[in-house]
Amino acid sequence: MNGAGTPSPPPPGRSIDIELGGQEVITIELDNLDPNPDDLLEVLKEGQCKVWIWTRLAAEYWRRGYLEAAEKIAQIARETLLANGAAASLPPVYSFLVNLQIARASKAPKLKLPNARQDIISETLREEYKKEATRLFNDGERVATEHGQSGTMLAVLTQGTLQLSSGLWDDAARTFDSVLAEKPTNVVALLGKAKIAYARRQFPQALKLFQKVLQLNPNCRPDPRIGIGLCLWAMDHKAKAKAAWQRSIEVNPGEWSAQLLLGLEALNSSKNESQSEEERREEFLRGTRLIERAFNANQKNSAAANALCELFLQKGQTRRASRLDALKLAERTIQFADVKGILCDGYIRAARVCHKEGSTRDAMSHFQKAKEAWKDNVLATIGLAQLQMKNDETAAAIHTLDTFLQTPNNPKSLELMAMLASLRAYPRPGVSSSDKIEEKKRARELFDRVCKAIGVAADGLSLTNGHTQTLSPSARKLGEDAEMFIEIAKLYQEESLEKMERAYKQALKNYESSGKTEPRLVNNLGALRHMEGHLDEAQGLYETALTHAAGLDSSSAEAMSTSILYNLARVYEDQGQEAKAREAYDKLLARHPEYVDAKLRQANMLAELNRHNDAHELIKQALSSQTSNLNIRAFYTHFLIQSNLPKPAKDFVFLTLRDHDKHDVYSLCAAGWLQYHQARENRDGSPKGIEERKRGFQRSAEFYEKALHLDPLCAVAAQGLAIVVAEDALGNLGGALGPVAPDEAQKRLKNSREALDIFAKVRESINDGSVYANMGHCYYARDEFDRAIESYETASKRFYSNQNVPVLLCLCRAWYAKANKDQSFSAMNTALQYAQKALHLNPWDKATLYNIAMIQQKAAELLMSVPPAKRSLKDLQKAIEQATHGQKLFASLAADKSPQVPYSRDIADQRRKYGESMLRRCEEHLSTQRQWEAEAQAKIEAARLRRQQEKERQDAEERARLEELRKQAEKLAEERRLAREQALEWTREVKRMESDEEREKQAKKAKRGKRSENVSGDEGAGGEPKQKKRRGKLKKSAEEGGEGAEGEDAALFSGEDEEQKPRKRPKKRAVRDDDEEEETTAAPRKKQYKSKEVISDSDEEMS
């Protein structure tokens, strides 16, 4: 038996013979067993059969699915063997019962749902079977120990199977290892090790073990092909995994686990968007059939119930019967699951059904149980948060989602992040203003993370660290959610128009991708482009939105068309297309006569055409229809101020504050401005007039302060107070309201610094040129002319298109001051250019003409006062020419007979006289400048010649150096060529010498071989003992040739001078072959003198 709950296939022998009494034998056919084993049990008792017969029959009943009969046979076997005194044979029976209880446990429920509504069970729990198995195993071990049979292979395998079913992986692994150490081919132990390796996610190791089991037993049950497929799937070899499962079904057609896995694989394939719709539908249907077949084969398997539950849930979106079936399957999954993931899925699906059915309490309970089973499950967290939102527990939902995201190891789900961001962006009761701002900030951060992850600019790809990764279907659907981007746009409405516009564009793109139109989005985009000054684009968007709105149903089209048409009229107005704007406003008023905004815009257009009476009439009509409308009253106040009617404007503002809303911020700011303007323009120098002016400034500051108290972010009020501070209106107004104090300069710097701090903050709120102009005034007061010029230029270019005369004159003044400070003629020219631009825009302004004459005269004076080195002849001539023109302007200004002029005629005449005296010195300065420039040019030319000569000398030296290097390189190349040729010659000579020596050696060997034969024959005949060979080496130089060899032979074989002392030979270096290397490395021996008649040849000579 294996340890997985089913016995192995039966052996080939399909019958058992049982002896009864003496000679009677009963044959039991295993293929024709009676489901009721009572008769068989009587035969087994009478025959006093051995234990293997009992267990064999019990296993056969188990194989056929008769677990009750199998257990009954095993129990009777235990009783019978005990009664017959064969207790020593009981351990196999106990092992059988243990495995049988493990098999029952695998099909028993893990828990019972106390509030189950569809799948109500009364079966014994899995834990009870495991306890019974443990008890039986301990009893078997006790019996085996008593009879000295402990530690058998069957007992050890049973122990490992029990440990594996109890989740004791380490103990089971050690047990199976002990079995494999004794028998490496034990299939049960190999299967157990494979299951443990797979559970530990050691897929390659598990795959090898499953494959080994398949090699040892191709018919093994459970089928190792299932495990092979699971390992291959986990290792991302999905095609091979599918082939393994298909082979399993071919071998075992009733294998439900392979059918389930193939069904799940088919469902996954049906989600592959690269396939056609027909192919995906076929895959889905095939997967559904396989999963249903697997569930019918084993209705107590949680994985099959879980997969089938999801299919019923998909059908149950419209059918209640399917939802109830899904609930039953979900409860089946929960009660029989032994894996946390499947248990969590069961709870989630049960909660979904309960939520759909309206059982909020049960759904909440199931979602909480799912989170307990798997704390980092995203679906359970989202489901729980949704139910909390349904119960109006928004704070609890935010806490649930936020806690999940803050946990370090939890997955960062984009859907969950988007949901949390949406909840934070949604206004909730009981939240303070500061908390609302903080919540919106967190919402923006979360949405930014979501957009970055899904890569809204990419088509299905998300960029992460420079690499592209395919988005999951859920993340892609999130990127296609237009409502999410509309919500993002609303969050950035007060923060960033650019990000708001990007969000609206993405939302519109998503709508268009789905084939829908949304005029409101197009209208919003048009409004953003309108605010940014892109009027043509805004017009096109408004017209597109109006066209789309016309195609909607009448109930919603009218409201949309009204707003869009008003916006289109506004952009026509800003483009200067008054006729089109007037026509659009007329259409609006024809449809909706009470549309006061259109009337106010018409009044504004009439006012710009100096038709103030007509404009006034329209405003009165709007005001009479909506007397308490503060927007209309604010516009009327603005109209009166622009019409230069400060007294009626002041009375109307005070009336608004008194009778309608004393806390209206706009009216308070307007009152402050009117009071300040009235006090500033009051020229009464009497003590009473000065006191009244002080009181006016004081009241102005009070109005601004009250507006700031009501709205701390009111930039207009802040700017008004900053102007009061900068001009010291509450002090002496720079000496206008009293004597100048000794520390007036320090006080002016302090006031301008404080005003600058306020203007810097106001600049972040008001996008208007007046803020930058006021900052320029403060910098000018501090003599920071560069920064003043920067502020004035920003105001002039960005807001007024260089068409605002006061700002241009301020720029002229700043550049003039900078020119005098830096003694810069170019800065003076820039000041002159700005003055000329202002005169071009306002040609009748004589003050500007006076300033131009003053700048032209001052420029000439400036250049005449600097040394020749700091000016040029061209600039001097230009300055004199401008000063001449300035003289004419001063003469005409002094002779002007107008009753009122904005300058002093006497001063103009004095400047004319001063200019005449200055111009008389011009020729002297011109001649001095010409002489200085001629001398400077001569010095420059001389220096240029010296540099040229020095360069020519250096070039000549460089050419000589390069030529020398070239010659050296050629010489070195020639030397290397000769060396290579000589080396080749030496190589050829060495090879020739080696060849000659080799031939000499061959000749000597042949000759000595012949002599050795003769000597050996003589010694054999004489019966003399062999002489001891002398081992040595003969070294010869290449120059000795044949003579050296012959002389040596003569000395060795003459035999006549035995007693003569041998001569000491000089050592000679010889060129030897590679074959002699080993010999030459031997240690040298001392020379010996022998009294033999014949000295034998050396080893080298005999070789």
Side-chain angles (χ1 to χ4, degrees), residues 630-660:
L630 294 178
N631 288 331
I632 300 177
R633 301 187 73 85
F635 184 85
Y636 190 36
T637 304
H638 172 75
F639 172 78
L640 293 174
I641 293 174
Q642 294 298 318
S643 300
N644 199 19
L645 300 171
K647 182 69 170 60
K650 181 179 176 182
D651 296 339
F652 185 76
V653 165
F654 286 167
L655 184 65
T656 301
L657 291 172
R658 186 187 65 199
D659 295 341
H660 295 280

Side-chain angles (χ1 to χ4, degrees), residues 309-455:
C309 176
E310 179 61 27
L311 295 175
F312 275 104
L313 270 178
Q314 293 177 11
K315 295 179 183 178
Q317 297 297 326
T318 56
R319 295 174 52 193
R320 187 171 187 274
S322 297
R323 290 200 297 270
L324 295 179
D325 291 337
L327 180 59
K328 183 175 182 178
L329 289 168
E331 291 175 348
R332 175 67 56 89
T333 302
I334 294 169
Q335 295 179 115
F336 284 85
D338 54 358
V339 179
K340 283 186 177 181
I342 295 179
L343 178 63
C344 182
D345 286 347
Y347 277 119
I348 290 173
R349 291 185 169 91
R352 287 170 60 189
V353 176
C354 293
H355 190 184
K356 187 73 174 178
E357 290 289 312
S359 303
T360 307
R361 181 180 299 178
D362 291 341
M364 182 81 75
S365 174
H366 285 312
F367 277 129
Q368 289 173 342
K369 291 286 187 181
K371 279 191 67 65
E372 291 174 6
W374 195 349
K375 292 183 179 180
D376 58 350
N377 187 275
V378 176
L379 287 178
T381 306
I382 291 177
L384 184 59
Q386 285 179 334
L387 287 176
Q388 289 169 337
M389 290 166 56
K390 187 173 182 179
N391 294 335
D392 291 332
E393 299 173 358
T394 308
I398 291 175
H399 177 73
T400 299
L401 298 174
D402 198 27
T403 303
F404 184 90
L405 284 178
Q406 295 300 328
T407 306
N409 295 328
N410 286 353
K412 305 304 179 187
S413 166
L414 299 182
E415 296 86 350
L416 194 145
M417 265 190 264
M419 184 177 177
L420 178 58
S422 181
L423 288 177
R424 289 194 180 280
Y426 186 77
R428 307 189 303 276
V431 179
S432 64
S433 299
S434 58
D435 288 341
K436 285 181 182 178
I437 294 173
E438 186 64 26
E439 288 289 284
K440 287 186 177 182
K441 179 181 177 183
R442 293 180 181 177
R444 285 192 294 270
E445 291 173 355
L446 287 168
F447 274 133
D448 285 344
R449 288 166 60 185
V450 172
C451 291
K452 184 179 179 182
I454 63 178

Side-chain angles (χ1 to χ4, degrees), residues 848-863:
T848 305
L849 200 62
Y850 181 90
N851 291 336
I852 290 174
M854 186 68 190
I855 293 170
Q856 289 176 334
Q857 189 181 89
K858 191 67 177 178
E861 180 185 349
L862 187 149
L863 280 183

